[in-house]
């Protein structure tokens, strides 16, 4: 059994499987599915206080309102009132106290959305306020943490610091970020026979939704089926928080024995569900005259909110990326998971990585400013290199494509630095800045157990193929990539492979589609299933073509042996006639990885992804406005499975990162209420903010050194961090206007107010 010839469907730029449906409005999201008979609509009744005891919750007027079928509180939960994805004790519905403004207290379900909303307004809740901790500083002062602080350490940091010829201290800050997926959180739960529940959920993690619904209902996992065809964006926000929405819908469905849809309107989504962790970093660095880092002591504090949720792994990843691309011979990084009376922050593209990377880039910036050198000069003496290639957690860097990435980037931007300097010499009000941003990002879930995937493949007698796997489609192009893998495996045209909705009853016990590893692990699982079926098919082909099985070749919709051949459908039909199974599951687990959370050492990542961006920004020193004028990017995607989809991921991640560092600002009032809960006050980047010069190149001839799926590399998250270059470029512009003292004051997001504050002290 062989395959000959050039790749047929992989390594090709093929449109997203729903591209035409997306742009024509024919892609079906949960809110578009045909409404089942008797469908009820949910609305969440939330706390208006950041921290308070619930003195009384009077829902009698809610229950009596027109159209209302039920209103539920924690007392209507037949199983456990716990929605924790990792730990326990994270109530779905408030249990006597509320711990953030926006926490769910009750859920009402009514015949229409308007009736549910109006009824919710009739709730009478009496609170007794308790002292609230709202900021990272207040949490640190009170030693209020959602988990024990973490320490990652290598070498004798105190001795190295004391011996360093120079030392400095500094800080880095970056705000949170709302996911702002186009489709807000939604679930529709439909009760079945014998206490079964079918849940349509916009989730990156169907298995976790299944677990939490089962836990809330007190039912076995097998009674709960979760299905997701596609999300209108997830970005990490639907990794753990989708189960809250699904859980509330399922509880109402259980109570009423009717189907219930819970779709959060934008304002509710922004108030109720978690975001990116804002970060506050303090550091001391010891270095020499060349800017070589000899010792680094860093404290990274994340605002986790009211419960742990995924904050442990997020903080772990922040610590694992506090080196970015630099060798730190003696290093101690402490991670503080601040517990505050604000919404529980959660996964968001990069998963703590961006917070770690922006912190070390601040170290590089401070050292450069202190020595009067450029950042690029400081980086050059600190990059990982042979003999200086072990991370603070003890993993060898392995194949390092960053030098190649940086060389190719330099070729793309020849002359641009000089042009910016020349512009600044002749301009006083508008100043430009230019910055390079390198990124190294570790691929795999930090927790080794999660690095597993399953798939289910059927071949029908007409040669068409049904594909199912554990990964979810959120716009990132996972479905088309896995379909390409399956088509390539059988060497058949992509049009013969039919992707289907992800369901917990087809592929069980899956991991979240997250950590950028959706294609890596589900692609391998799907290929494993294909290879089982193909092996059986080859036996039948050998029989029919009267040739040894070793001679059988699958090539472009036909199967050859000797000088005879048959079509793929003919062979599929022959297998059926010979009573040979044309269906198989496939399974994959990522090899080589291990991590010890207690010592924070190990090989948590199967490989590293590298990329670099060069960004040109301009600021108006009178208004503080900043714009990105150009961005050039080189990203290593290994042997890209689908360059068009990967370039889309790079561009999308970069623009989303631009939003994080430049414009998206979450504002809470002194009582802990989120004031920016709609696009009127919360600004995400639009088409006008995309850099007018925006060039993305994938590194060529760079197959992954590890045997990943067709030697590709993950792409979903790494390029997000390239956009930190936007912040660095704005900082350069501020420095050229008002010097580095001013530039070092700049904080992300560098909104016009932030730029003016930095310029004017
Ligand atoms: N791209 C789109 N269009 N929409 C999304 O929600 N999520 C990102 C990234 N790209 C996202 C996206 C995040 S946070 C991750 S972890 C990866 O996609 C997950 O998918 P993958 O593992 O298949 O890359
Ligand atoms: Mo992505 S933050 O790992 O869902």
């Amino acid at each position: 059994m062989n395959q000959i010839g050039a790749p047929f469907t992989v390594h090709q730029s093929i449109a997203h499987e729903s591209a035409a449906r997306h742009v024509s409005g024919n892609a079906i999201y949960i809110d578009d599915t045909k409404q089942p008979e008797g469908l009820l609509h949910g609305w969440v009744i939330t706390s208006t206080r950041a921290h308070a005891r619930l003195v009384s919750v009077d829902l009698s007027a809610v229950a009596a309102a027109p159209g209302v079928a039920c209103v539920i509180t924690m007392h209507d939960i037949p199983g456990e009132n716990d929605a924790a994805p990792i730990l326990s004790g994270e109530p779905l519905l408030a249990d006597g106290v509320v711990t953030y403004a926006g926490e769910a207290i009750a859920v009402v379900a009514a015949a229409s959305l308007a009736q549910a909303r109006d009824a919710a307004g009739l709730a009478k809740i009496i609170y007794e306020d308790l002292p609230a901790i709202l900021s990272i500083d207040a949490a640190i002062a009170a030693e209020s943490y959602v988990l024990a602080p973490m320490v990652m350490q290598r070498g004798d940091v105190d001795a190295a610091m004391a011996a360093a010829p120079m030392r400095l201290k500094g800080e880095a800050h970056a705000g949170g970020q709302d996911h702002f997926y186009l489709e807000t959180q939604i679930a529709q739960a439909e009760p079945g026979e014998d206490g079964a529940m079918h849940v349509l959920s916009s989730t990156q993690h169907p298995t976790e939704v299944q677990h939490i619904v089962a836990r809330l209902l007190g039912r076995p996992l097998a009674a709960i089926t979760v299905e997701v065809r596609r999300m209108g964006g997830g970005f990490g926000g639907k990794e753990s928080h989708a189960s809250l929405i699904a859980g509330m819908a399922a509880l109402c469905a259980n109570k009423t024995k009717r189907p219930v849809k819970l779709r959060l309107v934008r304002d509710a989504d922004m108030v109720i569900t978690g975001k990116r962790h804002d970060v506050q970093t303090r550091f001391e660095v010891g270095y020499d005259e060349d800017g070589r880092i000899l010792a680094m002591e860093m404290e990274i504090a994340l605002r986790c909110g009211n419960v742990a949720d995924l904050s442990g792994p997020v903080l772990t990843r922040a610590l694992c990326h506090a080196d970015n691309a630099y060798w730190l011979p003696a290093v101690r990084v402490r991670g503080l998971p601040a517990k505050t009376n604000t919404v529980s922050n959660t996964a968001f593209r990069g998963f703590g990585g961006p917070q770690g990377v922006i912190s070390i880039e601040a170290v590089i910036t401070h050292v450069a400013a202190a020595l009067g050198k450029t950042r690029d000069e400081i980086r050059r003496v600190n990059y990982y290199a042979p003999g200086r290639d072990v991370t603070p957690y003890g993993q060898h860097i392995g194949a390092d494509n960053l030098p190649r990435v940086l060389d190719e980037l330099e070729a793309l931007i020849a002359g641009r630095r000089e042009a910016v300097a020349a512009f600044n010499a002749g301009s006083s009000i508008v100043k430009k800045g230019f910055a390079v941003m390198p990124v190294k990002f570790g691929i795999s879930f930090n927790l080794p157990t999660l690095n597993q995937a399953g798939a289910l493949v059927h071949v029908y007698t007409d040669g068409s193929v049904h594909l199912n796997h554990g990964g979810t489609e959120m716009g990132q192009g996972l479905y088309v990539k896995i379909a390409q893998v399956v088509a390539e495996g059988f060497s058949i045209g992509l049009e013969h492979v039919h992707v289907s909705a992800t369901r917990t009853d087809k592929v069980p016990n899956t991991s979240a589609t997250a950590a950028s590893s959706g294609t890596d692990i589900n692609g391998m699982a799907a290929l494993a299933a294909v290879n089982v079926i193909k092996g059986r098919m080859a036996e039948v082909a050998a029989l029919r073509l009267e040739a040894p099985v070793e001679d059988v070749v699958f090539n472009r919709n036909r199967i050859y042996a000797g000088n005879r051949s048959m079509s793929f459908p003919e062979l599929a039909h022959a297998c059926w006639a010979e009573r040979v199974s044309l269906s198989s599951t496939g399974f994959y687990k990522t090899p080589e990885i291990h991590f010890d959370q207690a010592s924070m050492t190990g090989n948590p990542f199967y490989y590293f992804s590298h990329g670099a961006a060069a960004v040109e920004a301009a600021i108006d020193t009178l208004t503080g406005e900043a714009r990105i004028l150009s961005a050039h990017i080189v990203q290593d995607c290994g042997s890209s499975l689908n360059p068009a989809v990967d370039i889309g991921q790079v561009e999308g991640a970069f623009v989303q990162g631009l939003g994080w560092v430049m414009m998206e600002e979450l504002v809470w009032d002194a009582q802990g209420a989120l004031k920016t809960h709609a696009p009127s006050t919360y600004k995400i980047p639009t088409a006008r903010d995309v850099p007018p010069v925006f060039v993305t190149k994938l590194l060529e001839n760079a197959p992954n050194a590890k045997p990943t799926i067709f030697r590709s590399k993950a792409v979903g998250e790494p390029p997000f961090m390239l956009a930190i270059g936007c912040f660095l470029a704005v900082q350069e512009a501020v420095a050229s206007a008002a010097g580095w003292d001013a530039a070092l004051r700049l904080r992300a997001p560098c909104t016009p107010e932030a730029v003016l504050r930095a310029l004017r002290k």
Side-chain angles (χ1 to χ4, degrees):
M1 180 176 74
N2 283 302
Q3 200 152 305
I4 52 168
F8 190 22
T9 60
V10 295
H11 312 314
Q12 321 280 325
S13 283
I14 293 169
H16 189 285
E17 43 78 29
S18 292
R21 284 187 285 260
H22 286 155
V23 295
S24 61
N26 288 313
I28 294 172
Y29 296 86
I30 292 172
D31 205 33
D32 307 317
T33 49
K34 198 164 167 291
Q35 296 208 348
E37 184 71 31
L39 179 71
L40 298 170
H41 301 262
W43 192 277
V44 189
I45 297 172
T46 55
S47 164
T48 56
R49 308 300 172 88
H51 193 197
R53 204 169 64 78
L54 291 174
V55 177
S56 87
V57 177
D58 177 1
L59 301 171
S60 51
V62 180
V68 170
C70 79
V71 52
I72 59 158
T73 65
M74 65 162 285
H75 303 295
D76 299 286
I77 298 178
E80 274 176 78
N81 180 20
D82 192 351
I86 301 177
L87 304 176
S88 61
E90 301 177 8
L92 178 79
L93 297 176
D95 183 357
V97 286
V98 286
T99 53
Y100 76 94
E103 182 169 345
I105 297 170
V107 187
V108 53
S112 75
L113 186 64
Q115 286 174 323
R117 181 198 58 210
D118 292 351
L122 303 174
K124 291 192 195 70
I125 297 168
I126 299 174
Y127 303 91
E128 180 191 309
D129 282 320
L130 299 167
I133 293 176
L134 299 174
S135 68
I136 292 177
D137 279 332
I140 294 175
E143 294 186 43
S144 161
Y145 300 119
V146 294
L147 309 149
M150 303 174 184
V151 185
M152 179 180 286
Q153 184 163 355
R154 165 173 61 201
D156 188 340
V157 183
D158 300 327
M161 192 70 79
M166 292 168 220
R167 281 182 290 279
L168 64 78
K169 289 185 177 179
E171 291 182 14
H173 301 260
Q177 184 178 26
D178 191 87
H179 301 85
F180 223 97
Y181 21 61
L182 285 180
E183 178 205 37
T184 51
Q185 303 262 3
I186 181 169
Q188 183 171 307
E190 197 165 349
E193 288 182 348
D194 282 340
M197 191 67 72
H198 189 100
V199 185
L200 302 178
S201 170
S202 183
T203 176
Q204 295 171 240
H205 201 344
T207 291
E208 187 168 281
V209 171
Q210 177 196 28
H211 283 211
I212 287 174
V213 169
R215 194 194 294 163
L216 292 164
L217 296 181
R219 299 287 301 152
L221 293 173
I224 314 298
T225 303
V226 178
E227 176 179 347
V228 52
R229 169 60 183 89
R230 60 169 65 79
M231 282 160 270
F235 307 112
K238 294 172 180 170
E239 193 176 330
S240 66
H241 284 195
S243 61
L244 310 179
I245 309 311
M248 294 181 210
L251 286 168
C252 291
N254 180 61
K255 179 102 182 181
T256 58
K257 305 296 175 218
R258 287 169 67 176
V260 175
K261 176 157 78 183
L262 179 57
R263 173 174 66 80
L264 299 186
V265 299
R266 180 67 61 185
D267 295 79
D269 191 296
M270 290 188 74
V271 169
I272 294 171
T273 68
K275 306 159 203 317
R276 181 183 297 286
H277 295 68
D278 34 342
V279 59
Q280 189 169 296
T281 297
R282 296 194 174 91
F283 57 83
E284 180 171 17
V285 56
Y287 55 99
D288 66 14
E289 306 67 26
D290 299 326
R292 201 169 283 116
I293 297 174
L294 305 172
M296 185 178 95
E297 171 99 51
M298 183 179 270
E299 187 179 87
I300 298 179
L302 299 183
R303 181 158 62 150
C304 300
N306 66 328
V307 292
D309 181 67
L310 302 176
S311 291
V314 169
L315 184 57
T316 300
R317 188 169 275 270
L319 266 50
C320 286
H321 286 79
D323 59 340
N324 190 17
Y326 314 114
W327 159 247
L328 304 171
V331 51
R332 180 162 53 231
V333 189
R334 274 168 50 80
L336 303 179
K339 180 175 182 171
T340 52
N341 293 111
T342 50
V343 65
S344 177
N345 286 325
T346 190
F348 196 146
R349 208 170 197 167
F351 203 82
Q355 291 90 330
V357 171
I358 205 168
S359 298
I360 181 93
E361 289 303 324
V363 173
I364 298 286
T365 304
H366 274 77
V367 171
L371 291 174
K373 292 177 183 276
T374 66
R375 288 177 171 120
D376 295 332
E377 288 172 307
I378 304 303
R379 288 182 180 130
R380 224 165 283 140
V381 297
N382 285 298
Y383 280 129
Y384 282 115
R388 305 154 39 90
D389 56 357
V390 181
T391 65
Y393 44 93
Q395 174 157 5
H396 280 85
I397 295 295
D400 186 358
N401 283 338
L402 192 58
R404 267 191 68 196
V405 165
L406 289 167
D407 283 350
E408 294 203 10
L409 184 67
E410 282 302 324
L412 286 180
I413 58 171
R416 287 189 175 262
R417 274 190 197 85
E418 298 73 14
V420 166
F423 175 90
N424 283 343
S427 175
S428 55
I429 306 264
V430 173
K431 288 287 186 185
K432 288 188 180 178
F434 192 84
V436 167
M437 178 66 208
V439 172
K440 161 185 127 293
F441 192 76
I443 303 300
S444 298
F445 292 91
N446 269 78
L447 184 64
T449 303
L450 300 181
N451 296 283
Q452 55 170 308
L456 177 65
V457 174
H458 307 315
V459 177
Y460 293 98
T461 50
D462 63 353
S464 62
V465 176
H466 174 95
L467 164 62
N468 200 274
H469 54 80
T472 58
E473 177 62 50
M474 59 197 94
Q476 86 277 39
L478 177 67
Y479 277 16
V480 69
K481 284 184 173 177
I482 311 287
Q484 286 175 265
V485 165
V486 167
E488 186 72 38
F490 285 123
S491 195
I492 57 176
L494 193 60
E495 65 279 14
H496 302 301
V497 180
H498 295 253
V499 295
S500 56
T502 310
R503 294 175 60 120
T504 53
D505 56 352
K506 281 198 176 174
V507 175
N509 312 322
T510 56
S511 290
T513 306
S516 303
S517 43
T519 306
D520 281 12
I521 60 176
N522 292 288
M524 282 302 226
L527 190 61
V530 167
N531 283 334
V532 170
I533 300 171
K534 209 172 140 189
R536 296 186 201 135
M537 292 179 87
E539 300 275 350
V540 175
L543 201 73
R544 291 290 167 105
L545 300 175
E546 296 172 340
V549 71
E550 307 79 63
D551 290 359
V552 173
V553 171
F554 286 65
N555 190 32
R556 304 196 171 221
N557 295 313
R558 287 196 77 76
I559 291 81
Y560 300 85
N563 52 12
R564 297 180 60 186
S565 75
M566 66 201 295
S567 71
F568 189 79
E570 282 165 353
L571 177 56
H573 194 272
C575 289
W576 171 78
E578 298 288 343
R579 296 184 292 176
V580 168
S581 166
L582 285 171
S583 173
S584 179
T585 59
F587 186 78
Y588 176 74
K589 59 176 181 188
T590 313
E592 297 175 22
I593 47 179
H594 55 90
F595 189 67
D596 176 40
Q597 186 70 38
S599 64
M600 302 211 78
T601 56
N603 276 15
F605 306 120
Y606 190 35
Y607 61 88
F608 293 99
S609 153
H610 294 99
V615 185
E616 185 184 350
I619 61 165
D620 180 325
T621 55
L622 299 179
T623 64
E625 282 170 278
R627 295 200 69 81
I628 301 303
L629 305 177
S630 74
H632 291 76
I633 296 174
V634 177
Q635 180 69 36
D636 175 16
C637 291
S639 295
S640 168
L641 279 176
N642 186 327
V645 164
D646 284 353
I647 287 172
Q649 282 291 294
V650 175
E651 292 175 344
F654 184 87
V655 173
Q656 193 167 40
L658 183 159
W660 176 50
V661 297
M662 292 191 67
M663 51 204 300
E664 297 181 40
E665 189 171 27
L666 292 160
V667 179
W668 276 269
D669 68 14
Q671 283 70 46
L674 180 66
K675 304 314 280 181
T676 47
H677 49 72
S680 51
T681 46
Y682 184 79
K683 294 299 176 193
I684 62 167
T686 66
R688 287 182 61 242
D689 301 295
V690 172
V693 177
F694 197 10
V695 178
T696 297
K697 287 254 154 60
L698 303 184
L699 195 67
E700 282 176 16
N701 303 318
N704 197 335
K706 292 287 167 67
T708 50
I709 187 76
F710 293 101
R711 300 276 172 177
S712 62
K713 278 194 178 183
V715 66
E717 295 166 287
F720 181 93
M721 279 144 281
L722 296 175
I724 293 170
C726 299
F727 176 76
L728 303 184
V730 171
Q731 210 173 25
E732 293 279 347
V734 170
S736 83
W740 275 102
D741 279 351
L744 292 177
R745 282 196 297 269
L746 190 68
R747 293 181 173 194
C750 52
T751 57
E753 295 92 321
V755 169
L756 282 184
R757 268 196 299 270
L759 285 171
R760 301 200 182 142
K761 263 214 168 114

